[in-house]
């Protein structure tokens, strides 16, 4: 495979390195990277907290800071391990510092941007219903305050190479080519588990407005017609438990539950797809591996890129059925065990007081 040129820059200065591992995920707020730095100068090569970037072949991959600086040595050699984290860590670690702490008649994107007091930056094109009010609990981080609504609405939260937060409700695009056994797959494994297979997913919550049964005891149910036996999961809905929010929540949870029990891990020797794009999280990819029984589209839930001291590269792709991350029914000929439920029917009812 061609050598990937990875550039680590700290406070505007490039740091030579011997090896690296780069990680990003569709369900993770921060991407991270670890470098074994080649350094023989005085002291240590960099300080914790310094601004840092990572580029792959000139393309920006990470914007953040030095999270950990770990020097070590024996009698003759010294080693410097430098760990980086995306600047989106401020969204998950720093408290919201907003004068009022409350906004009215806003959608999820407006909530996120209003309470991004750390200045991380929020992007995305998701469209969500407006909330009557949204209030920040003292000490909450930006992620703390938006995650319950994001979960209820089937919204993923992750970072971008520029260090901004991204809100998405479906895969961002498609990787070129196919991951195929005997061609570009070094190794593959799968986990097909029934632990998260449920016949019904119920959502229960409470509405802060009103005093009738609909407000105090709303209940929504998503049914999986393919379930082999009766297994029920009850989800406590946080935030406003309106009819549409509860129905969307249980449908999302039903798909995610099955998707988390239907996964594959594929190692490929190149960091890029057939079109030259670096493997990325939340992208569709065609997979054809008869030995693990998959022949369909999958979605990249996590991507790990590694390069050793000799310049050898490989990418580890953790994959899920696209519906587990908000995508559509994958077209293919996979064995039945790979299938996650599609748009399960969701019913809503009022519980008696």
């Amino acid at each position: 495979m061609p050598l990937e040129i990875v550039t680590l820059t700290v406070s505007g200065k490039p740091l030579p390195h011997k090896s690296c591992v780069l990680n990003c995920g569709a369900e993770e707020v921060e991407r991270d990277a670890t470098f074994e730095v080649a350094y023989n100068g005085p002291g240590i090569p960099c300080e914790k907290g310094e601004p840092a970037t990572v580029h792959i072949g000139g393309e920006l991959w990470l914007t953040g800071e030095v999270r950990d600086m770990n020097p070590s040595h024996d009698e003759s050699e010294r080693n410097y391990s430098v760990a980086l984290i995306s600047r989106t860590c401020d969204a998950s670690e720093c408290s919201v510092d907003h004068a009022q702490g409350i906004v009215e008649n806003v959608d999820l994107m407006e909530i996120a941007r209003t309470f991004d007091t750390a200045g991380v930056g929020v992007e995305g094109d998701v469209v969500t219903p407006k909330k009557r009010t949204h209030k920040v609990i003292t000490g909450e981080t930006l992620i703390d305050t938006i995650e319950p609504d994001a979960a209820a609405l089937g919204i993923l939260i992750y970072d971008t190479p520029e260090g901004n937060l991204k809100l998405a409700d479906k895969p961002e695009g498609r990787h070129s080519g196919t991951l195929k056994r005997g061609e570009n797959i070094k190794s593959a494994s799968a986990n097909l588990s029934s632990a998260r297979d449920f016949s019904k997913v119920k959502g229960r919550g409470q509405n802060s407005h009103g005093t009738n049964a609909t407000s105090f005891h709303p209940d929504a149910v998503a049914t999986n017609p393919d379930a082999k036996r009766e297994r029920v999961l009850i989800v406590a809905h946080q935030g406003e438990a309106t009819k549409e929010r509860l129905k969307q929540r249980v449908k999302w949870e039903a798909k995610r539950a099955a998707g988390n029990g239907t996964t594959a891990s594929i190692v490929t020797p190149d960091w890029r797809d057939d079109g030259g794009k670096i493997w990325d999280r939340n992208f569709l990819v065609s997979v054809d591996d008869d030995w693990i029984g998959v022949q369909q589209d999958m979605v990249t839930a996590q991507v790990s890129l590694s390069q050793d001291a000799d310049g050898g590269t490989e990418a580890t792709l953790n994959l899920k059925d696209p519906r587990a991350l908000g995508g559509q029914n994958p077209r293919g000929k996979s064995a039945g065990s790979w299938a996650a439920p599609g748009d399960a029917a969701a019913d809503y009812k009022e519980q008696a007081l």
Side-chain angles (χ1 to χ4, degrees):
M1 294 298 105
L3 174 67
E4 291 285 357
I5 305 300
V6 183
T7 305
L8 165 62
T9 304
V10 177
S11 293
K13 298 179 180 180
L15 280 184
H17 62 277
K18 297 180 286 186
S19 62
C20 63
V21 177
L22 318 177
N23 304 301
C24 65
E27 299 170 284
E28 299 169 359
V29 173
E30 312 97 351
R31 66 184 60 201
D32 62 75
T34 303
F35 289 82
E36 294 301 320
V37 171
Y39 181 74
N40 58 8
I44 57 178
C46 58
E47 301 285 346
K48 63 179 183 180
E50 287 193 78
T53 59
V54 176
H55 289 77
I56 301 174
E59 297 179 47
L60 181 64
W61 188 86
L62 178 149
T63 303
E65 66 176 44
V66 176
R67 171 47 55 99
D68 299 299
M69 172 69 248
N70 297 312
S72 64
H73 70 85
D74 57 21
E75 292 180 344
S76 59
E77 295 183 353
R78 47 181 170 165
N79 299 286
Y80 298 95
S81 177
V82 177
L84 310 182
I85 194 167
S86 169
R87 61 192 294 270
T88 52
C89 65
D90 288 348
S92 62
E93 297 173 353
C94 299
S95 298
V96 172
D97 186 13
H98 189 272
Q100 290 77 39
I102 188 170
V103 287
E104 298 179 346
N105 194 32
V106 287
D107 63 17
L108 185 60
M109 291 296 296
E110 291 172 309
I111 293 169
R113 287 168 174 157
T114 298
F115 295 120
D116 178 24
T117 56
V120 171
V122 181
E123 61 182 72
D125 58 4
V126 298
V127 177
T128 62
K130 290 183 178 290
K131 292 183 68 175
R132 293 182 183 179
T133 60
H134 184 93
K135 185 175 182 180
V136 176
I137 299 172
T138 301
E140 277 190 323
T141 67
L142 176 59
I143 299 302
D144 289 337
T145 199
I146 66 174
E147 203 165 36
D149 284 307
L153 296 167
I155 306 296
L156 301 169
I157 307 171
Y158 49 82
D159 76 329
T160 69
E162 294 77 20
N164 300 326
L165 280 182
K166 179 73 175 282
L167 275 60
D169 58 1
K170 58 184 178 298
E172 287 192 43
R174 171 180 290 278
H175 276 295
S176 299
T178 298
L179 291 167
K180 186 174 179 61
R181 185 182 66 81
E183 294 182 6
N184 56 1
I185 294 180
K186 291 178 64 176
S187 63
S189 62
N191 178 253
L192 305 174
S193 172
S194 65
R196 301 295 295 171
D197 288 350
F198 298 102
S199 58
K200 295 178 182 178
V201 176
K202 295 184 177 183
R204 293 175 180 169
Q206 186 169 325
N207 199 328
S208 62
H209 300 274
T211 57
N212 56 19
T214 305
S215 297
F216 285 118
H217 295 278
D219 186 289
V221 181
T223 303
N224 175 13
D226 298 323
K228 295 180 174 62
R229 58 193 177 91
E230 186 74 3
R231 282 166 52 83
V232 177
L233 174 68
I234 298 177
V235 178
H237 180 84
Q238 300 180 37
E240 294 298 306
T242 64
K243 177 179 179 179
E244 291 306 317
R245 282 173 176 265
L246 268 183
K247 289 174 66 176
Q248 190 166 359
R249 176 65 186 273
V250 295
K251 289 170 69 176
W252 172 249
E253 289 293 340
K255 293 200 296 184
R256 282 176 60 85
N260 287 332
T262 309
T263 63
S265 179
I266 289 180
V267 178
T268 182
D270 201 345
W271 281 11
R272 300 175 185 269
D273 65 16
D274 287 358
K277 176 178 173 55
I278 299 168
W279 295 111
D280 204 356
R281 77 282 174 275
N282 203 26
F283 270 73
L284 295 170
V285 59
S286 174
V287 181
D288 185 357
D289 190 323
D290 56 331
W291 283 7
I292 60 172
V294 60
Q295 189 178 15
Q296 66 178 50
D297 282 347
M298 300 288 281
V299 68
T300 49
Q302 290 180 309
V303 175
S304 181
L305 310 173
S306 62
Q307 186 173 77
D308 60 29
D310 298 323
T313 63
E314 66 179 27
T316 301
L317 311 177
N318 291 330
L319 309 172
K320 293 184 178 182
D321 183 294
R323 288 169 287 188
L325 298 184
Q328 300 301 313
N329 189 354
R331 296 171 175 82
K333 302 176 182 178
S334 296
S337 295
W338 284 93
D343 288 330
D347 296 321
Y348 180 87
K349 60 182 179 180
E350 301 172 9
Q351 298 291 334
L353 291 171

